[in-house]
Amino acid sequence: ELEPNSDGAAYGSTTSLGASIVSQTSRSRLAINPGVTGRLFGGGTDASDSNQISPRLSAQFDHRVAAVDFRSGLSFDVRPTAFSEIGEDGSGVPDLDVIDQNATQISLIGNAGFTYRINDRNRATIGTDVRVIRFDDDATGLTPNTTIGVSGEFAHDVNERVTSSFGAGLRRVRLGGATDTETLIFDVDGGLNAFVSPRFSLGGSLGVSLIDRTDGAGGGDTGLGLNASANFAYQVFDDLSLSFNARQGVEPSADGELQNQTTLSLGATQFINQRERVSLNLGLSRQAAADTSVGASDDTTQFQTGASYQWTITPEVVAQLGYTMRWELQPDDAMSHKVFLSLSRSLFYP
């Protein structure tokens, strides 16, 4: 962990306690997940300012009526803007400069939608989501934002092995701060996924993003971004599988600004036996403002690697031990190490 606004190291420990309450019938499923997280930081005079006990809550409701599947979800989370937790709240590609901040992030995310199964090969999905991100008073330079979006997708099974999809979405991102900024983002994308063999699958997509940005001073601009992604999964043996994902393009970041983004990740999972498995992962990401020349000061490059061991002690009890390392190569040359242990128990099995 990096101590805020300092080259010194800070250290932290996190303890989480949570529960999952599930009610399920043949047509409906309701899951409520309350929890609390305690975080303790040390190693510097400013690090202790982030010590906190924070709540979290998520819920999901699914219901099926004939050929229609309804879904909805809600989550609430409070956490510090710690380097080791960047991106873990699902808020998209963040501004990695938050490692210089000593603030608390509060997020509220809600979504709803439905999927209509037209026939055995075709289905359509329509959804909407709302995302509200806020920071406490110490968040100088961090921008509160609100995102409201709608999206739709049509999927077609070409045959038993190949599926194609086409989607479109519209988002409105409003940034607070000294100068309010509003961005409209229109996305269109198409993809293809195929099972080449029972052990090997691959997929890819192409997308276009159009943004229209207006600031509180009356200025604004428009931009066009293109992106492409590819992925594959290969089961080498019955107990060993590999996966690879790559994405490259100019696309909107979490706050609606066009950025050059590159993401690469590689993963492997080895089943030791029916109860134990080991997973490894490697990842590299880079982001920079789309209108900035190569080597500019706001370019950020981050490397991540990790390993985890999962042991199903009994059908009701599962333990997991893992390690994650994040290294921001530029511009800050910051490094984070995280060791985690989790234990979960199902009170009712199955």
Side-chain angles (χ1 to χ4, degrees):
E1 193 72 59
L2 184 69
E3 180 181 340
N5 302 307
S6 170
D7 292 331
Y11 306 92
S13 63
T14 301
T15 302
S16 297
L17 179 65
S20 180
I21 305 168
V22 180
S23 176
Q24 187 168 343
T25 67
S26 58
R27 290 189 175 185
S28 302
R29 183 179 187 273
L30 173 64
I32 301 175
N33 305 290
V36 63
T37 302
R39 296 176 175 91
L40 180 65
F41 293 89
T45 57
D46 296 330
S48 60
D49 294 341
S50 294
N51 295 342
Q52 63 178 235
I53 297 177
S54 56
R56 69 180 191 278
L57 176 67
S58 64
Q60 183 175 351
F61 176 71
D62 301 310
H63 182 64
R64 170 173 293 185
V65 179
V68 179
D69 293 326
F70 294 93
R71 58 172 176 78
S72 61
L74 180 69
S75 68
F76 173 77
D77 191 24
V78 179
R79 65 175 62 213
T81 56
F83 179 44
S84 61
E85 298 182 349
I86 286 178
E88 290 187 359
D89 60 348
S91 60
V93 179
D95 181 356
L96 300 184
D97 288 339
V98 298
I99 66 170
D100 291 328
Q101 299 293 321
N102 186 17
T104 298
Q105 174 179 295
I106 304 168
S107 61
L108 178 65
I109 302 172
N111 61 78
F114 68 88
T115 298
Y116 175 57
R117 299 185 304 279
I118 302 171
N119 52 43
D120 291 342
R121 289 194 171 186
N122 301 289
R123 54 198 174 274
T125 301
I126 297 177
T128 181
D129 64 272
V130 177
R131 186 185 303 269
V132 179
I133 307 294
R134 296 291 183 267
F135 301 93
D136 65 5
D137 294 337
D138 295 331
T140 56
L142 295 178
T143 306
N145 62 84
T146 302
T147 303
I148 302 175
V150 294
S151 61
E153 183 184 66
F154 175 77
H156 171 66
D157 295 332
V158 180
N159 53 45
E160 294 181 351
R161 291 188 173 184
V162 181
T163 299
S164 62
S165 63
F166 174 81
L170 180 65
R171 288 175 287 163
R172 174 182 176 270
V173 181
R174 187 174 183 85
L175 305 181
T179 303
D180 289 341
T181 303
E182 182 174 297
T183 305
L184 291 177
I185 306 170
F186 179 65
D187 299 303
V188 178
D189 63 81
L192 195 68
N193 290 279
F195 285 91
V196 180
S197 71
R199 290 181 176 269
F200 181 57
S201 66
L202 57 84
S205 68
L206 293 173
V208 178
S209 297
L210 175 66
I211 73 165
D212 182 13
R213 193 179 184 92
T214 305
D215 59 38
D221 60 348
T222 60
L224 181 68
L226 302 174
N227 63 79
S229 66
N231 63 83
F232 77 80
Y234 180 55
Q235 189 170 350
V236 184
F237 305 109
D238 291 341
D239 57 357
L240 176 62
S241 60
L242 300 175
S243 64
F244 174 77
N245 292 273
R247 188 175 183 89
Q248 169 66 50
V250 177
E251 52 189 317
S253 64
D255 63 3
E257 179 184 357
L258 279 180
Q259 291 186 331
N260 288 302
Q261 298 182 5
T262 303
T263 304
L264 300 172
S265 63
L266 178 65
T269 299
Q270 170 73 55
F271 285 86
I272 302 174
N273 51 50
Q274 292 184 345
R275 291 188 172 186
E276 299 172 89
R277 70 180 184 186
V278 175
S279 298
L280 303 174
N281 66 80
L282 295 171
L284 181 68
S285 62
R286 180 182 179 275
Q287 64 183 48
D291 58 354
T292 303
S293 59
V294 176
S297 59
D298 66 343
D299 288 8
T300 54
T301 303
Q302 186 180 134
F303 173 77
Q304 176 175 321
T305 185
S308 65
Y309 166 75
Q310 181 173 306
W311 179 26
T312 303
I313 303 173
T314 70
E316 301 90 353
V317 181
V318 178
Q320 186 173 11
L321 175 65
Y323 164 77
T324 299
M325 185 271 282
R326 293 188 180 188
W327 178 19
E328 183 178 296
L329 289 79
Q330 62 175 17
D332 298 293
D333 192 19
M335 185 174 291
S336 166
H337 303 274
K338 177 186 288 188
V339 177
F340 62 89
L341 171 66
S342 68
L343 183 67
S344 62
R345 186 185 193 283
S346 175
L347 300 179
F348 304 98
Y349 181 85

